[in-house]
Amino acid sequence: MTKLGQWLCGLVLLGSAWAALALAPPGLRLPAPCRQALLPLPVYLLVAFGCYSLATVGYRLATFNDCEEAAAELQEHISAARADLSRRGLRF
Amino acid sequence: MAAGGADKFSVLLPTYNERENLPLVVWLLARTFRDSGNNFEIIIIDDGSPDGTQEIAEQLEKIYGSDKIVMREIISVLFSSGTAYIHGMKHATGNFIVIMDADLSHHYFHTNIPPVFLIKPIAYRKQKEGNFDIVSGTRYKGNGGVYGWDLKRKLISRGANFLTQVLLRPGASDLTGSFRLYRKEVLQKLMEKCVSKGYVFQMEMIVRARQLGYTIGEVPISFVDRVYGESKLGGNEIVSFLKGLLTLFATT
């Protein structure tokens, strides 16, 4: 199954569970407080996921390494390479 | 195992107008392999570069020997990562294939061939350590990282990677990084299965590899922007990345 397929299945399952519980006909209803919490749940989850995403990306952005030594090392390598290759006859 | 029982590494380098970078990359690769004592060959697949890339490659072949440097040319409007690798693999005699992609925010193999000096011995050791089918370089873990990137570029990179992780759950931290080491049979199998173009192809390979049960190890790499102006990460690139990501989401 594709990832899209997995997401759709998951959404359908959770969605129907939520609909069944939150939008049930009068005879089968849960107590009112439960339904009141359940009704906006999808929106809450979406917002929560949004906050999690922002926090995660922000953290990863802040901890993104800057490779100073690698850059310096590269410059040295470039000089060494040019010197060595010229010695061996490369015409740049 | 390659003939003789020892491992041999074939490095595939698709090039377009890499006259300046090519000697440096070859020199670094040769030195790294010599230091780690591994047998290697470098296969340069050039797309009819007008800047004399092939001439430089021929000079390098004379210096290093034609068992070490192999130059192949394809001139084709269909030149892409996929065709370059297929073509390159036909000539590869190693049992491990190293793929180094150039900067992916641009035309897929142009200018920024990243530095490799950190990579070869570490990747080889990692492969041996875990006997992995694929070793992938990552900029996002360990002491991997970048140099010369401004905040905006880092943000876009991390954001795109986050989206990729959420949608594809690929089991690797960096799908658009520019270094991979594959067992030859694994790469051949993946090339048959993958259909995307350009760098999305690189992403697809990792996703399919996971589905086929191949083991993937990671090593940190440093990506250093060498070109004087940094690569532009414009609206076009972002849109095409999103398109590629959604395509993979829907098809793998």
Side-chain angles (χ1 to χ4, degrees), chain A residues 1-4 6-7 49 52-53 56-57 60-61 63-68 70-71 73-74 77-78 80-82 84-85 88-92, chain B residues 19 23-24 27-28 31 55 59 63-64 115 117 139-140 142-147 154-155 158 162 166-169 222 224 226 249-252:
Chain A
M1 187 187 280
T2 65
K3 297 289 184 302
L4 179 60
Q6 289 170 4
W7 277 62
F49 177 72
Y52 163 77
S53 305
T56 306
V57 174
R60 289 177 179 173
L61 176 62
T63 54
F64 209 162
N65 283 333
D66 277 311
C67 310
E68 312 278 339
E73 217 181 321
L74 180 61
H77 284 300
I78 292 175
R82 293 191 77 96
D84 188 34
L85 286 172
R88 294 161 87 165
L90 190 76
R91 290 177 333 275
F92 284 92
Chain B
R19 189 203 169 85
L24 306 171
W27 187 85
L28 286 170
R31 205 184 81 151
E55 195 256 326
Q59 287 193 52
I63 293 177
Y64 285 100
F117 48 90
R139 293 160 293 175
Y140 301 129
N143 57 354
V146 297
Y147 179 80
K154 284 186 186 178
L155 176 62
R158 282 295 200 177
F162 179 77
V166 167
L167 288 180
L168 298 182
R169 300 188 318 274
S222 309
V224 175
R226 272 194 62 230
F249 180 62
T251 58
T252 61

Side-chain angles (χ1 to χ4, degrees), chain B residues 64-82:
Chain B
Y64 285 100
S66 51
D67 59 324
K68 294 283 186 283
I69 312 276
V70 179
M71 229 285 299
R72 287 286 176 273
E73 181 185 5
I74 333 173
I75 305 177
S76 161
V77 292
L78 297 175
F79 196 69
S80 68
S81 290

